[in-house]
């Protein structure tokens, strides 16, 4: 609201422009998320929209990490946006830098004093290469430009600039507020004002060029990948998660537990990397160790039986994006490419569709580490391992759509992901009802809102049945909202869905018919 004092009658117009805010994905839409170790970049969940943005924030391929390869494969396979979480050691230290002000003179006020602390947003030695420059903006006393460079000098890769800012707490372009803003602020640093409560023009950082932060260390403890994955709950998003190259069940099982508690996350697990030269039979046994459907032992322990996780393997041979040599290839875990296909299928079809088969050709894949026989494929499918294999006239495709949970119907990836999608969509759609008067009018309103959402899904072909009457049912009335539940502040909706299930097995029956006698053959 304008603070101008108006002195004459008339109409007065003010303009107020808010900072550009990153648009969040629509309710119920899955977003990919990658969690892993890396030697550069933010550690909190960060949404990125292109490989170029990943390079600017995480410096691309470095340190032997699988994280950048998974992100690159994701965007190469149709992904549009993803969260990245860089896991750091608990004992890692954060780099910082203190800037002096511009005070001069004599007596107690003589000499420059500390005015601004700059702290890296994430721990690690990478922040020791962050360089900060302060220049005069030329727009008035006490105003300056702040530049952050990654790389330690003017040749640094990632650059952030905050122009015409001030440390005056009453200024609309207060540097601390702009840099520390949760959504639009810096990805690399936070600011802390160290000057006196009553700001003066002299409490402006002195001009400096490419002064680097210091004190950052990587630490000796192993990063907690499980805790890093669970930090994604702060996004409140519907997630497809992958920990690139991680097949350790001690790490993955806590993540699966969290996926179930959170209710809006699905975990795509990379199969173990098999040593070169390992016989195919031994590779099959190694992949099956992850499956709780066939491995009932504890050494090694399998994944926890859950419909919130699925395993894909074997690893895939792709063009090596980290080197410029023509024809160079690299063996990579499949999770990044698969999450790209998940994202593409969600846009083209919806979460009810299994991202598998010849419509889900993995781009840039030259081969899979193993080619299994039909008998071995039978073993792996029964174990719930979704195998990537060559499909004639298509390419290398995921040829499986099962979770690591036995039973029906949520043994299918498509069913579990669709239920996650529906849950989020209905929670977002009915949030308005909280604290509304708990009366039949509210029940009717909720019924109408939910019916509309489910009707849209039916019309989009996401539910079984050609009409709302056969595709779903919604009950929210006196039959499931008694006086006791109303007195307790509760509203109950009972929803039934006719779920779609994938066609896994195509059986073709070929028969010969000649004047009353016949013979037949069944192909699958």
């Amino acid at each position: 609201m304008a603070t101008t004092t108006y002195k004459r009658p008339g109409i007065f117009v003010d303009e107020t422009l808010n900072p550009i805010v990153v648009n969040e994905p629509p309710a119920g839409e899955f977003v990919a998320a990658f969690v892993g170790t890396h030697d550069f970049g933010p550690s909190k969940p960060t949404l990125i929209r292109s490989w170029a943005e990943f390079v600017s924030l995480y410096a691309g391929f470095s340190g032997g990490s699988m994280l950048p390869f998974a992100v690159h494969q994701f965007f190469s396979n149709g992904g549009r946006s993803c969260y990245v979480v860089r896991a750091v050691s608990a004992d890692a230290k954060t780099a910082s830098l203190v800037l002096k002000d511009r005070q001069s003179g004599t007596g107690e006020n003589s000499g420059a004093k500390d005015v601004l602390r700059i702290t890296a947003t994430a721990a690690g030695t990478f922040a020791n290469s962050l360089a900060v420059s302060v220049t005069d903006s030329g727009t008035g006393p006490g105003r300056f430009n702040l530049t952050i460079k990654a790389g330690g000098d003017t040749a640094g890769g990632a650059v952030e600039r905050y122009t015409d800012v001030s440390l005056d707490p009453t200024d609309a372009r207060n540097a601390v507020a702009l840099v520390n803003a949760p959504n639009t602020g810096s990805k690399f640093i936070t600011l802390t004002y160290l000057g006196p409560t009553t700001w003066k023009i002299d409490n402006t950082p002195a001009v400096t060029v490419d002064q680097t932060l210091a004190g950052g260390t990587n630490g000796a403890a192993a990063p907690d990948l499980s805790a890093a994955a669970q930090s994604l709950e702060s996004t409140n998003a519907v997630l497809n998660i992958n920990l690139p190259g991680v097949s350790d069940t001690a790490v993955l099982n806590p993540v699966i537990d969290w996926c179930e508690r959170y209710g809006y996350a699905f975990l795509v697990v990379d199969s173990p990397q098999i040593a070169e030269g390992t016989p195919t039979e031994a590779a099959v046994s190694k992949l099956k160790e992850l499956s709780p459907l066939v491995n009932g032992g504890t050494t090694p322990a399998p994944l926890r039986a859950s419909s919130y996780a699925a395993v894909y393997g074997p690893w895939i041979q792709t063009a090596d994006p980290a080197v410029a040599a023509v024809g160079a290839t690299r063996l990579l875990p499949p999770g990044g490419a698969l999450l790209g296909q998940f994202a593409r299928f969600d846009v083209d079809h919806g979460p009810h569709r299994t991202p598998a088969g010849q419509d889900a050709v993995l781009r840039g894949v030259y081969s899979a580490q193993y080619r299994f026989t039909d008998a071995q494929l039978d073993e792996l499918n029964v174990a719930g391992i979704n195998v990537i294999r060559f499909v004639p006239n298509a390419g290398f495709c995921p040829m499986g759509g099962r979770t690591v949970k036995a039973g029906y119907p949520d043994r299918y990836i498509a069913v579990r992901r669709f239920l996650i999608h529906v849950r989020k969509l209905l929670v977002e759609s009915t949030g308005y009802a909280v604290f509304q008067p708990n009366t039949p009018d509210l029940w009717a309103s909720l019924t109408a809102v939910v019916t509309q959402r489910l009707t849209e899904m039916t019309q989009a072909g996401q539910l079984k049945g050609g009409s709302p009457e056969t595709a779903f049912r919604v009950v929210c009335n006196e039959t499931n909202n008694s006086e006791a539940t109303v007195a307790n502040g509760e509203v109950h909706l009972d929803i039934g869905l006719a779920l779609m299930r994938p066609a896994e097995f195509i059986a073709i029956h070929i028969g010969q018919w000649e004047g009353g006698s016949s013979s037949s053959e069944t192909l699958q």
Side-chain angles (χ1 to χ4, degrees):
M1 179 178 293
T3 57
T4 305
T5 300
Y6 302 112
K7 299 180 178 179
R8 59 177 171 78
I11 299 173
F12 303 88
V13 178
D14 290 312
E15 284 189 3
T16 301
L17 301 180
N18 294 323
I20 296 175
V21 178
V22 173
N23 292 327
E24 295 298 324
E29 180 177 324
F30 280 84
V31 184
F34 296 97
V35 181
T37 57
H38 194 46
D39 59 4
F40 198 96
S43 59
K44 65 181 181 180
T46 303
L47 187 65
I48 63 171
R49 290 168 178 76
S50 67
W51 172 247
E53 187 175 2
F54 180 87
V55 172
S56 71
L57 294 177
Y58 295 90
F61 304 104
S62 61
S65 167
M66 283 295 174
L67 182 63
F69 291 100
V71 174
H72 187 273
Q73 286 288 305
F74 170 75
F75 286 113
S76 296
N77 277 271
R80 299 185 302 171
S81 62
C82 66
Y83 284 101
V84 174
V85 182
R86 183 178 76 92
V88 299
S89 300
D91 59 342
K93 297 187 182 303
T94 304
S96 63
L97 168 69
V98 174
L99 299 181
K100 298 289 186 179
D101 64 14
R102 304 187 183 192
Q103 291 196 63
S104 59
T106 59
E108 294 181 358
N109 295 324
S110 63
K113 295 180 173 56
D114 295 345
V115 71
L116 190 66
R117 177 180 291 112
I118 301 173
T119 306
T121 55
T125 56
F126 87 95
N128 296 335
S129 66
L130 295 180
V132 175
S133 296
V134 174
T135 59
D136 286 322
S137 67
T139 57
R143 307 189 73 80
F144 61 96
N145 303 320
L146 180 68
T147 305
I148 306 99
K149 301 172 185 172
D153 55 25
T154 55
V159 178
E160 294 180 334
R161 293 184 178 89
Y162 295 87
T163 59
D164 193 28
V165 296
S166 170
L167 291 184
D168 182 355
T170 65
D171 196 298
R173 291 193 57 76
N174 177 263
V176 176
L178 291 174
V179 171
N180 296 354
N183 292 322
T184 59
S186 173
K187 298 294 192 298
F188 290 104
I189 64 168
T190 60
L191 302 182
T192 305
Y193 175 62
L194 304 177
T197 303
T198 303
W199 181 83
K200 300 181 300 181
I201 291 175
D202 286 343
N203 304 133
T204 298
V207 171
T208 184
V209 178
D210 294 334
Q211 190 171 351
T212 57
L213 279 65
T217 65
N218 288 336
D224 189 341
L225 293 172
S226 299
Q230 293 178 48
S231 71
L232 286 161
E233 188 165 345
S234 64
T235 67
N236 196 35
V238 185
L239 302 165
N240 293 317
I241 302 175
N242 175 243
L243 281 63
V246 176
S247 57
D248 184 354
T249 57
V251 173
L252 295 172
N253 281 335
V255 179
I256 295 174
D257 291 339
W258 169 76
C259 286
E260 292 190 350
R261 292 194 306 272
Y262 178 48
Y264 303 129
F266 185 83
L267 180 66
V268 170
V269 177
D270 292 322
S271 65
Q273 182 178 13
I274 310 298
E276 196 67 33
T278 301
T280 306
E281 295 79 4
V284 170
S285 298
K286 188 68 175 176
L287 266 60
K288 288 168 60 178
E289 288 178 355
L290 278 179
S291 172
L293 306 180
V294 295
N295 179 9
T298 57
T299 309
L303 293 171
R304 196 172 79 74
S306 172
S307 65
Y308 285 79
V311 180
Y312 286 86
W315 284 33
I316 52 179
Q317 197 81 30
T318 73
D320 191 344
V323 299
V326 176
T329 62
R330 182 182 289 263
L331 194 65
L332 294 175
L338 287 162
L339 259 59
Q341 291 296 327
F342 274 53
R344 188 175 68 83
F345 265 60
D346 285 349
V347 171
D348 294 347
H349 308 289
H352 67 293
R353 177 77 182 273
T354 302
Q358 63 183 13
D359 290 338
V361 178
L362 302 183
R363 300 171 185 172
V365 175
Y366 298 143
S367 66
Q369 188 179 16
Y370 287 92
R371 292 196 180 191
F372 301 109
T373 66
D374 287 347
Q376 291 166 342
L377 291 171
D378 290 343
E379 287 184 58
L380 291 170
N381 194 61
V382 170
I385 307 297
N386 302 303
V387 177
I388 297 166
R389 59 188 175 95
F390 181 73
V391 176
N393 301 317
F396 285 88
C397 313
M399 292 299 291
R402 294 192 179 187
T403 67
V404 288
K405 179 184 178 183
Y408 195 84
D410 61 346
R411 66 177 176 179
Y412 293 119
I413 293 171
V415 170
R416 170 45 59 199
R417 292 181 69 248
F418 181 68
L419 290 174
I420 292 173
H421 168 74
V422 170
R423 176 189 296 186
K424 183 66 171 180
L425 203 61
L426 295 185
V427 166
E428 297 285 345
S429 299
T430 58
Y432 75 93
V434 177
F435 299 116
Q436 294 284 336
N438 195 349
T439 65
D441 287 342
L442 179 62
W443 307 341
S445 174
L446 286 169
T447 300
V449 169
V450 172
T451 298
Q452 179 181 353
R453 284 293 196 182
L454 297 179
T455 299
E456 292 169 356
M457 294 179 188
T458 304
Q459 293 170 342
Q462 297 178 351
L463 288 171
K464 188 177 179 181
S467 66
E469 291 76 17
T470 57
F472 63 87
R473 64 176 175 84
V474 181
V475 178
C476 183
N477 53 36
E478 66 280 353
T479 63
N480 58 344
N481 289 281
S482 65
E483 292 184 6
T485 59
V486 171
N488 201 37
E490 303 170 7
V491 179
H492 293 268
L493 289 90
D494 294 327
I495 299 170
L497 303 176
L499 298 172
M500 305 280 281
R501 292 156 184 133
E504 280 190 296
F505 312 106
I506 309 300
I508 301 174
H509 307 284
I510 300 176
Q512 177 182 346
W513 185 83
E514 290 183 2
S517 63
S518 65
S519 61
S520 65
E521 181 178 355
T522 299
L523 303 178
Q524 292 188 0

